[in-house]
Amino acid sequence: MKKWSGSAAVCINKNNEVLMVRGKDSNAWAVPSGGIETGETPESCCVREVKEETGYDVLIKNKIHIKETLIDEIEVITYYFNVEIIGGEIEINDPDQTIIEAGWKSISELHNLEHMYPEDIAVIKKSGD
């Protein structure tokens, strides 16, 4: 069976907002994430994806979740990390050109958003506690 591994970043600011991105042709939001490239650790993938998708430089605080699922007969493992911003500003440099918007979304309003991965809401909320 084919396998895919990726990393995702949960970044919550002092206003209790989470950093999220939206892809083109979609109204659904998700935390910044992407596939681990050859030679990359899950941690370095997470830092790179946040930079590409949002423009922010981040520092990993800790690993918070591992999601294992099956999508179209592909085994998918995604590593979730709590991160904090250490520099940069919102600027999208996604080489895949799939991300069209990045922004801060209130954790208390998450249930009102359309989510690409609704199962991530619990991970985000737990991370913010």
Side-chain angles (χ1 to χ4, degrees):
M1 185 171 286
K2 200 171 166 194
K3 295 185 179 202
W4 183 91
S5 298
S7 293
V10 176
C11 183
I12 296 172
N13 66 18
K14 62 184 181 299
N15 299 323
N16 217 25
E17 297 166 321
V18 63
L19 183 60
M20 300 190 83
V21 296
R22 185 172 66 84
K24 66 179 178 195
D25 306 324
S26 174
N27 291 321
W29 290 83
V31 293
S33 62
I36 298 171
E37 295 177 354
T38 306
E40 246 183 351
T41 63
E43 291 82 358
S44 60
C45 170
C46 179
V47 169
R48 176 182 54 77
E49 288 291 346
V50 173
K51 181 67 175 175
E52 289 175 0
E53 295 186 358
T54 72
Y56 287 119
D57 298 303
V58 295
L59 183 69
I60 289 183
K61 295 183 350 191
N62 57 320
K63 186 186 289 183
I64 54 173
H65 182 66
I66 298 174
K67 179 167 71 175
E68 295 185 52
T69 187
L70 197 62
I71 300 173
D72 297 330
E73 296 187 25
I74 299 170
E75 282 182 39
V76 175
I77 296 178
T78 308
Y79 300 89
Y80 286 72
F81 297 94
N82 241 336
V83 302
E84 68 178 274
I85 292 175
I86 54 172
E89 58 188 34
I90 287 200
E91 178 186 3
I92 299 164
N93 290 308
D94 180 20
D96 304 325
Q97 300 188 336
T98 56
I99 301 299
I100 59 162
E101 190 178 356
W104 295 95
K105 302 295 175 185
S106 168
I107 289 180
S108 62
E109 298 293 316
L110 280 182
H111 59 278
N112 294 335
L113 278 183
E114 188 179 326
H115 288 270
M116 196 173 294
Y117 308 105
E119 67 274 15
D120 288 359
I121 296 172
V123 176
I124 295 167
K125 285 187 171 177
K126 191 172 90 180
S127 176
D129 291 340

